[in-house]
Amino acid sequence: MNDSNQQLMQPDIMDTNEEEEENFVREGEAVEVEVNDDDVPMEDDDEDDEDGDADVNGNNTLRSHEEIPDLSFRTIEAHNALPVYAIASHYDRQNCRLSIITGGGDDKACFHQLDESGNVQTTQLSHVHSDSVSCVATNEMFVSNDMTKTPKFIAVGGYDGTTILYDPESAEIKLTLDGPTDVEFLSFHPKGGSVLLAGSISDGTVWMYHLPTSKCLQVFVGHECNGENGGVTAGSFTPDGKFALTVGMDGTMRLWAPRTGMCKHVFRLTEEGNSNTDMDVSGLICLALDGDVESQLAMAGGDNGRAYIVHLQAKKLIGVLRHFDTREVANHSNGDDDDDDEEEVMMVSVEAVGFAPKGVCPNWVATGGSDGVLKIWDLSIDSQCRQSCIAKDANGEAIHTGGVTRLSWHPTLPVIFASYTDGAVRIWDARNGNLIKTLTCGKQDNQINDLSIEILVGGQTDPANTIVITAHDDGTAKVFRVDTHDILSNVHTVMK
């Protein structure tokens, strides 16, 4: 590797594979797991504590009145100090170039390019929306070398209902798509990236476009939409590209056939996984696919504190993970203040879910909640909760981190990156729940709204530097460089 690449890339080869017996969940098995939440972190109300401590992992745990270090190596300011809501990224290994797309509350989207020296070039994308830019995406990781069949696109969607496609080379508008009332998510087809999904939380529809012909191929209609209690919140194509999968505030996950537009199956998850029939139907707010060795598992997180795992081929609910049991909160309350108890119950939801990569462990999944806890589960052992990842100080007391907003597994290591409402990214060892590293942004409570991870070079045998990109409430996007050798040395140290 050339010396000029050292700013962004510092490869370090180390093998972290462990030999363990594989025991996969069978498609006919269904389990429901209750977890003791006595270890859920509580807010720190001790205003007299003036000292910052070092936590049990050697990370500084700063109090709100202390100066928070900015550990990023680049700060991108392009959204007029209004929140950045969405981020997408792609690393071009051939040209050693990192591309970042951001969308924000200033009704604009921007395209940023970082060269191998870390210099940033920012281009404001030309279309000005009439409402916030809610989602951005790129198909560069899916396209082939034949650009006539699969052109590269940047997709930008807004709450004004517009979807704009740009050329990533020139930043010029290539397509303007008519579609749903608003655009809540965008997702490219994994086989070539020439088909795009756009879903709406306002009207509950999902539109599918064939980009080379600028045609709308299908409009999937089925999710109930009753004001705040309806709409589609997340969606994606299955890894093999044969189906589309969506979740919504009506508590359902729906499997769609792209060729016919028909709904192949409806998983009524918050009804099927709810033993208390008197409870209202809860919404599903996040989605993950590509679980199990055959990529047949999907998982959705709900605003009721649970995550639901389904087997797509068998069309069965196979597991309910009680990340946080709202009934236990009510039962353990002291009864002094009913309003406080109700508020505490209302706050808890599963905000992020993710399957471990198959090369790490196909049986592990992660859930992140608004309670600030990241949990690791093992589907092969009755969906047992292996670890509850909670940031603690030197005295072993939980630190108030705010809620988890996003999570992402490292593609080759048992490591999870989780972003929080306090503005930090915490890197966890999934095998033992240890905090490896905390990436702070220079401000307290600078909420992270979106997270993207790029591995600059390497694969299973060469896991090189990791770039972490975050979207913040203060209008900035932060770019962190995480030395993989540092991660690996921590992982090996704690496993000795």
Side-chain angles (χ1 to χ4, degrees), residues 293-327:
V293 291
E294 298 180 350
S295 300
Q296 286 297 318
L297 298 187
M299 175 168 48
D303 60 11
N304 59 357
R306 301 179 188 181
Y308 303 87
I309 301 175
V310 303
H311 195 284
L312 297 177
Q313 186 175 19
K315 298 182 176 61
K316 290 183 179 180
L317 172 67
I318 65 169
V320 180
L321 309 180
R322 291 180 178 272
H323 179 96
F324 194 95
D325 195 331
T326 54
R327 293 175 299 177

mmCIF file of all heavy atoms in Angstrom, residues 293-327:
data_model
loop_
_atom_site.group_PDB
_atom_site.id
_atom_site.type_symbol
_atom_site.label_atom_id
_atom_site.label_comp_id
_atom_site.label_asym_id
_atom_site.label_seq_id
_atom_site.Cartn_x
_atom_site.Cartn_y
_atom_site.Cartn_z
ATOM 1 N N VAL A 293 -27.720 -18.780 8.448
ATOM 2 C CA VAL A 293 -26.790 -19.124 7.378
ATOM 3 C C VAL A 293 -27.468 -19.108 6.016
ATOM 4 O O VAL A 293 -26.811 -18.940 4.981
ATOM 5 C CB VAL A 293 -26.150 -20.504 7.641
ATOM 6 C CG1 VAL A 293 -25.212 -20.439 8.819
ATOM 7 C CG2 VAL A 293 -27.216 -21.576 7.840
ATOM 8 N N GLU A 294 -28.769 -19.302 5.971
ATOM 9 C CA GLU A 294 -29.499 -19.305 4.713
ATOM 10 C C GLU A 294 -30.185 -17.970 4.433
ATOM 11 O O GLU A 294 -30.964 -17.867 3.483
ATOM 12 C CB GLU A 294 -30.527 -20.432 4.712
ATOM 13 C CG GLU A 294 -29.906 -21.826 4.828
ATOM 14 C CD GLU A 294 -30.942 -22.923 4.836
ATOM 15 O OE1 GLU A 294 -32.149 -22.606 4.939
ATOM 16 O OE2 GLU A 294 -30.556 -24.099 4.731
ATOM 17 N N SER A 295 -29.925 -16.974 5.254
ATOM 18 C CA SER A 295 -30.471 -15.622 5.079
ATOM 19 C C SER A 295 -31.991 -15.606 5.071
ATOM 20 O O SER A 295 -32.604 -14.768 4.398
ATOM 21 C CB SER A 295 -29.928 -14.993 3.779
ATOM 22 O OG SER A 295 -28.530 -14.911 3.800
ATOM 23 N N GLN A 296 -32.612 -16.500 5.824
ATOM 24 C CA GLN A 296 -34.064 -16.595 5.840
ATOM 25 C C GLN A 296 -34.707 -15.939 7.057
ATOM 26 O O GLN A 296 -35.934 -15.955 7.184
ATOM 27 C CB GLN A 296 -34.496 -18.063 5.782
ATOM 28 C CG GLN A 296 -34.313 -18.702 4.417
ATOM 29 C CD GLN A 296 -35.166 -18.035 3.355
ATOM 30 O OE1 GLN A 296 -36.330 -17.707 3.567
ATOM 31 N NE2 GLN A 296 -34.570 -17.825 2.187
ATOM 32 N N LEU A 297 -33.905 -15.349 7.936
ATOM 33 C CA LEU A 297 -34.470 -14.708 9.122
ATOM 34 C C LEU A 297 -34.530 -13.195 8.935
ATOM 35 O O LEU A 297 -33.634 -12.585 8.356
ATOM 36 C CB LEU A 297 -33.646 -15.043 10.366
ATOM 37 C CG LEU A 297 -33.546 -16.510 10.781
ATOM 38 C CD1 LEU A 297 -32.836 -16.632 12.122
ATOM 39 C CD2 LEU A 297 -34.919 -17.164 10.827
ATOM 40 N N ALA A 298 -35.604 -12.611 9.444
ATOM 41 C CA ALA A 298 -35.760 -11.158 9.499
ATOM 42 C C ALA A 298 -36.188 -10.786 10.905
ATOM 43 O O ALA A 298 -36.810 -11.586 11.625
ATOM 44 C CB ALA A 298 -36.775 -10.678 8.469
ATOM 45 N N MET A 299 -35.869 -9.556 11.309
ATOM 46 C CA MET A 299 -36.155 -9.109 12.667
ATOM 47 C C MET A 299 -36.677 -7.683 12.638
ATOM 48 O O MET A 299 -36.176 -6.838 11.893
ATOM 49 C CB MET A 299 -34.888 -9.209 13.526
ATOM 50 C CG MET A 299 -35.031 -8.667 14.937
ATOM 51 S SD MET A 299 -33.635 -9.108 16.037
ATOM 52 C CE MET A 299 -32.206 -8.702 15.018
ATOM 53 N N ALA A 300 -37.686 -7.427 13.472
ATOM 54 C CA ALA A 300 -38.253 -6.086 13.575
ATOM 55 C C ALA A 300 -38.314 -5.678 15.036
ATOM 56 O O ALA A 300 -38.631 -6.490 15.907
ATOM 57 C CB ALA A 300 -39.651 -6.036 12.960
ATOM 58 N N GLY A 301 -38.001 -4.412 15.303
ATOM 59 C CA GLY A 301 -38.087 -3.874 16.648
ATOM 60 C C GLY A 301 -39.345 -3.054 16.819
ATOM 61 O O GLY A 301 -39.757 -2.316 15.905
ATOM 62 N N GLY A 302 -39.969 -3.178 17.987
ATOM 63 C CA GLY A 302 -41.238 -2.507 18.227
ATOM 64 C C GLY A 302 -41.161 -1.427 19.281
ATOM 65 O O GLY A 302 -40.227 -1.364 20.081
ATOM 66 N N ASP A 303 -42.180 -0.565 19.283
ATOM 67 C CA ASP A 303 -42.228 0.494 20.288
ATOM 68 C C ASP A 303 -42.805 0.000 21.610
ATOM 69 O O ASP A 303 -43.076 0.788 22.516
ATOM 70 C CB ASP A 303 -43.013 1.710 19.767
ATOM 71 C CG ASP A 303 -44.444 1.385 19.395
ATOM 72 O OD1 ASP A 303 -44.922 0.286 19.721
ATOM 73 O OD2 ASP A 303 -45.094 2.260 18.760
ATOM 74 N N ASN A 304 -42.977 -1.319 21.732
ATOM 75 C CA ASN A 304 -43.412 -1.936 22.976
ATOM 76 C C ASN A 304 -42.265 -2.595 23.734
ATOM 77 O O ASN A 304 -42.488 -3.347 24.678
ATOM 78 C CB ASN A 304 -44.497 -2.972 22.693
ATOM 79 C CG ASN A 304 -44.025 -4.073 21.751
ATOM 80 O OD1 ASN A 304 -42.900 -4.038 21.256
ATOM 81 N ND2 ASN A 304 -44.876 -5.045 21.487
ATOM 82 N N GLY A 305 -41.018 -2.356 23.297
ATOM 83 C CA GLY A 305 -39.872 -2.918 23.992
ATOM 84 C C GLY A 305 -39.514 -4.325 23.589
ATOM 85 O O GLY A 305 -38.706 -4.971 24.263
ATOM 86 N N ARG A 306 -40.067 -4.827 22.489
ATOM 87 C CA ARG A 306 -39.787 -6.192 22.056
ATOM 88 C C ARG A 306 -39.242 -6.199 20.632
ATOM 89 O O ARG A 306 -39.480 -5.273 19.857
ATOM 90 C CB ARG A 306 -41.051 -7.053 22.116
ATOM 91 C CG ARG A 306 -41.668 -7.129 23.498
ATOM 92 C CD ARG A 306 -42.920 -7.964 23.484
ATOM 93 N NE ARG A 306 -43.613 -7.882 24.776
ATOM 94 C CZ ARG A 306 -44.744 -8.529 25.057
ATOM 95 N NH1 ARG A 306 -45.301 -9.304 24.134
ATOM 96 N NH2 ARG A 306 -45.308 -8.404 26.235
ATOM 97 N N ALA A 307 -38.544 -7.280 20.297
ATOM 98 C CA ALA A 307 -38.098 -7.528 18.933
ATOM 99 C C ALA A 307 -38.651 -8.874 18.504
ATOM 100 O O ALA A 307 -38.754 -9.811 19.310
ATOM 101 C CB ALA A 307 -36.579 -7.512 18.839
ATOM 102 N N TYR A 308 -39.004 -8.971 17.232
ATOM 103 C CA TYR A 308 -39.668 -10.159 16.696
ATOM 104 C C TYR A 308 -38.826 -10.738 15.567
ATOM 105 O O TYR A 308 -38.388 -10.007 14.681
ATOM 106 C CB TYR A 308 -41.060 -9.800 16.173
ATOM 107 C CG TYR A 308 -41.949 -9.148 17.214
ATOM 108 C CD1 TYR A 308 -41.914 -7.763 17.417
ATOM 109 C CD2 TYR A 308 -42.801 -9.914 18.000
ATOM 110 C CE1 TYR A 308 -42.716 -7.171 18.369
ATOM 111 C CE2 TYR A 308 -43.615 -9.323 18.957
ATOM 112 C CZ TYR A 308 -43.566 -7.954 19.144
ATOM 113 O OH TYR A 308 -44.358 -7.360 20.097
ATOM 114 N N ILE A 309 -38.627 -12.065 15.600
ATOM 115 C CA ILE A 309 -37.827 -12.740 14.593
ATOM 116 C C ILE A 309 -38.723 -13.708 13.833
ATOM 117 O O ILE A 309 -39.445 -14.514 14.433
ATOM 118 C CB ILE A 309 -36.646 -13.485 15.228
ATOM 119 C CG1 ILE A 309 -35.759 -12.496 15.998
ATOM 120 C CG2 ILE A 309 -35.829 -14.214 14.179
ATOM 121 C CD1 ILE A 309 -34.630 -13.141 16.753
ATOM 122 N N VAL A 310 -38.682 -13.628 12.509
ATOM 123 C CA VAL A 310 -39.515 -14.488 11.678
ATOM 124 C C VAL A 310 -38.637 -15.282 10.718
ATOM 125 O O VAL A 310 -37.537 -14.857 10.367
ATOM 126 C CB VAL A 310 -40.551 -13.663 10.874
ATOM 127 C CG1 VAL A 310 -41.409 -12.828 11.796
ATOM 128 C CG2 VAL A 310 -39.871 -12.798 9.816
ATOM 129 N N HIS A 311 -39.154 -16.427 10.309
ATOM 130 C CA HIS A 311 -38.527 -17.224 9.256
ATOM 131 C C HIS A 311 -39.330 -16.964 7.992
ATOM 132 O O HIS A 311 -40.526 -17.294 7.910
ATOM 133 C CB HIS A 311 -38.544 -18.715 9.627
ATOM 134 C CG HIS A 311 -37.632 -19.546 8.788
ATOM 135 N ND1 HIS A 311 -37.940 -19.899 7.484
ATOM 136 C CD2 HIS A 311 -36.410 -20.099 9.047
ATOM 137 C CE1 HIS A 311 -36.964 -20.626 6.978
ATOM 138 N NE2 HIS A 311 -36.013 -20.775 7.917
ATOM 139 N N LEU A 312 -38.714 -16.358 6.986
ATOM 140 C CA LEU A 312 -39.439 -15.901 5.814
ATOM 141 C C LEU A 312 -39.955 -17.060 4.974
ATOM 142 O O LEU A 312 -41.102 -17.028 4.499
ATOM 143 C CB LEU A 312 -38.538 -14.994 4.971
ATOM 144 C CG LEU A 312 -38.089 -13.694 5.643
ATOM 145 C CD1 LEU A 312 -37.148 -12.919 4.726
ATOM 146 C CD2 LEU A 312 -39.288 -12.839 6.030
ATOM 147 N N GLN A 313 -39.142 -18.079 4.770
ATOM 148 C CA GLN A 313 -39.575 -19.195 3.943
ATOM 149 C C GLN A 313 -40.698 -19.978 4.608
ATOM 150 O O GLN A 313 -41.677 -20.358 3.964
ATOM 151 C CB GLN A 313 -38.398 -20.125 3.637
ATOM 152 C CG GLN A 313 -38.730 -21.238 2.660
ATOM 153 C CD GLN A 313 -37.511 -22.060 2.298
ATOM 154 O OE1 GLN A 313 -36.507 -22.044 3.009
ATOM 155 N NE2 GLN A 313 -37.577 -22.780 1.191
ATOM 156 N N ALA A 314 -40.570 -20.207 5.913
ATOM 157 C CA ALA A 314 -41.604 -20.936 6.646
ATOM 158 C C ALA A 314 -42.792 -20.057 6.993
ATOM 159 O O ALA A 314 -43.846 -20.561 7.394
ATOM 160 C CB ALA A 314 -41.012 -21.524 7.925
ATOM 161 N N LYS A 315 -42.622 -18.736 6.870
ATOM 162 C CA LYS A 315 -43.681 -17.776 7.192
ATOM 163 C C LYS A 315 -44.184 -17.960 8.621
ATOM 164 O O LYS A 315 -45.380 -18.021 8.898
ATOM 165 C CB LYS A 315 -44.838 -17.896 6.195
ATOM 166 C CG LYS A 315 -44.441 -17.580 4.756
ATOM 167 C CD LYS A 315 -45.630 -17.676 3.822
ATOM 168 C CE LYS A 315 -45.256 -17.264 2.411
ATOM 169 N NZ LYS A 315 -44.207 -18.119 1.814
ATOM 170 N N LYS A 316 -43.207 -18.015 9.547
ATOM 171 C CA LYS A 316 -43.537 -18.230 10.953
ATOM 172 C C LYS A 316 -42.783 -17.252 11.842
ATOM 173 O O LYS A 316 -41.635 -16.900 11.566
ATOM 174 C CB LYS A 316 -43.178 -19.657 11.389
ATOM 175 C CG LYS A 316 -44.052 -20.742 10.795
ATOM 176 C CD LYS A 316 -43.660 -22.112 11.335
ATOM 177 C CE LYS A 316 -44.543 -23.205 10.766
ATOM 178 N NZ LYS A 316 -44.156 -24.552 11.300
ATOM 179 N N LEU A 317 -43.449 -16.855 12.913
ATOM 180 C CA LEU A 317 -42.785 -16.133 13.989
ATOM 181 C C LEU A 317 -42.062 -17.151 14.847
ATOM 182 O O LEU A 317 -42.675 -18.069 15.394
ATOM 183 C CB LEU A 317 -43.824 -15.374 14.835
ATOM 184 C CG LEU A 317 -43.322 -14.712 16.117
ATOM 185 C CD1 LEU A 317 -42.373 -13.563 15.810
ATOM 186 C CD2 LEU A 317 -44.501 -14.223 16.965
ATOM 187 N N ILE A 318 -40.733 -17.023 14.969
ATOM 188 C CA ILE A 318 -39.962 -18.034 15.697
ATOM 189 C C ILE A 318 -39.383 -17.512 17.001
ATOM 190 O O ILE A 318 -38.849 -18.290 17.787
ATOM 191 C CB ILE A 318 -38.831 -18.609 14.826
ATOM 192 C CG1 ILE A 318 -37.803 -17.529 14.495
ATOM 193 C CG2 ILE A 318 -39.382 -19.242 13.567
ATOM 194 C CD1 ILE A 318 -36.540 -18.079 13.879
ATOM 195 N N GLY A 319 -39.470 -16.222 17.259
ATOM 196 C CA GLY A 319 -38.908 -15.722 18.506
ATOM 197 C C GLY A 319 -39.390 -14.336 18.848
ATOM 198 O O GLY A 319 -39.607 -13.499 17.967
ATOM 199 N N VAL A 320 -39.595 -14.093 20.148
ATOM 200 C CA VAL A 320 -39.933 -12.769 20.664
ATOM 201 C C VAL A 320 -38.908 -12.427 21.739
ATOM 202 O O VAL A 320 -38.792 -13.133 22.742
ATOM 203 C CB VAL A 320 -41.355 -12.722 21.257
ATOM 204 C CG1 VAL A 320 -41.663 -11.321 21.777
ATOM 205 C CG2 VAL A 320 -42.388 -13.143 20.223
ATOM 206 N N LEU A 321 -38.136 -11.390 21.510
ATOM 207 C CA LEU A 321 -37.096 -10.974 22.451
ATOM 208 C C LEU A 321 -37.621 -9.816 23.281
ATOM 209 O O LEU A 321 -37.917 -8.747 22.748
ATOM 210 C CB LEU A 321 -35.834 -10.553 21.685
ATOM 211 C CG LEU A 321 -35.310 -11.539 20.642
ATOM 212 C CD1 LEU A 321 -34.064 -10.972 19.967
ATOM 213 C CD2 LEU A 321 -35.030 -12.899 21.252
ATOM 214 N N ARG A 322 -37.727 -10.042 24.577
ATOM 215 C CA ARG A 322 -38.208 -8.995 25.480
ATOM 216 C C ARG A 322 -37.024 -8.113 25.883
ATOM 217 O O ARG A 322 -36.447 -8.290 26.953
ATOM 218 C CB ARG A 322 -38.863 -9.599 26.708
ATOM 219 C CG ARG A 322 -40.187 -10.299 26.427
ATOM 220 C CD ARG A 322 -40.754 -10.874 27.711
ATOM 221 N NE ARG A 322 -42.039 -11.504 27.501
ATOM 222 C CZ ARG A 322 -43.209 -10.891 27.561
ATOM 223 N NH1 ARG A 322 -43.247 -9.596 27.825
ATOM 224 N NH2 ARG A 322 -44.328 -11.547 27.367
ATOM 225 N N HIS A 323 -36.678 -7.187 25.010
ATOM 226 C CA HIS A 323 -35.594 -6.264 25.345
ATOM 227 C C HIS A 323 -35.927 -5.493 26.608
ATOM 228 O O HIS A 323 -35.091 -5.266 27.467
ATOM 229 C CB HIS A 323 -35.363 -5.292 24.183
ATOM 230 C CG HIS A 323 -34.289 -4.286 24.451
ATOM 231 N ND1 HIS A 323 -32.987 -4.470 24.029
ATOM 232 C CD2 HIS A 323 -34.302 -3.097 25.104
ATOM 233 C CE1 HIS A 323 -32.254 -3.444 24.420
ATOM 234 N NE2 HIS A 323 -33.030 -2.602 25.071
ATOM 235 N N PHE A 324 -37.155 -5.110 26.732
ATOM 236 C CA PHE A 324 -37.612 -4.385 27.921
ATOM 237 C C PHE A 324 -39.076 -4.717 28.108
ATOM 238 O O PHE A 324 -39.883 -4.513 27.211
ATOM 239 C CB PHE A 324 -37.423 -2.880 27.740
ATOM 240 C CG PHE A 324 -37.560 -2.091 29.017
ATOM 241 C CD1 PHE A 324 -36.446 -1.753 29.759
ATOM 242 C CD2 PHE A 324 -38.801 -1.690 29.479
ATOM 243 C CE1 PHE A 324 -36.557 -1.029 30.938
ATOM 244 C CE2 PHE A 324 -38.924 -0.960 30.651
ATOM 245 C CZ PHE A 324 -37.809 -0.635 31.379
ATOM 246 N N ASP A 325 -39.432 -5.244 29.276
ATOM 247 C CA ASP A 325 -40.810 -5.643 29.546
ATOM 248 C C ASP A 325 -41.512 -4.517 30.280
ATOM 249 O O ASP A 325 -41.236 -4.242 31.443
ATOM 250 C CB ASP A 325 -40.829 -6.922 30.378
ATOM 251 C CG ASP A 325 -42.203 -7.574 30.389
ATOM 252 O OD1 ASP A 325 -43.194 -6.842 30.258
ATOM 253 O OD2 ASP A 325 -42.281 -8.809 30.506
ATOM 254 N N THR A 326 -42.439 -3.864 29.592
ATOM 255 C CA THR A 326 -43.137 -2.724 30.194
ATOM 256 C C THR A 326 -43.992 -3.145 31.375
ATOM 257 O O THR A 326 -44.214 -2.364 32.301
ATOM 258 C CB THR A 326 -44.025 -2.032 29.154
ATOM 259 O OG1 THR A 326 -44.905 -3.007 28.571
ATOM 260 C CG2 THR A 326 -43.181 -1.418 28.049
ATOM 261 N N ARG A 327 -44.450 -4.394 31.377
ATOM 262 C CA ARG A 327 -45.264 -4.847 32.510
ATOM 263 C C ARG A 327 -44.429 -4.932 33.778
ATOM 264 O O ARG A 327 -44.915 -4.654 34.870
ATOM 265 C CB ARG A 327 -45.885 -6.203 32.183
ATOM 266 C CG ARG A 327 -46.916 -6.148 31.067
ATOM 267 C CD ARG A 327 -47.402 -7.535 30.707
ATOM 268 N NE ARG A 327 -46.316 -8.380 30.237
ATOM 269 C CZ ARG A 327 -46.470 -9.657 29.915
ATOM 270 N NH1 ARG A 327 -47.640 -10.227 30.026
ATOM 271 N NH2 ARG A 327 -45.443 -10.361 29.481
#
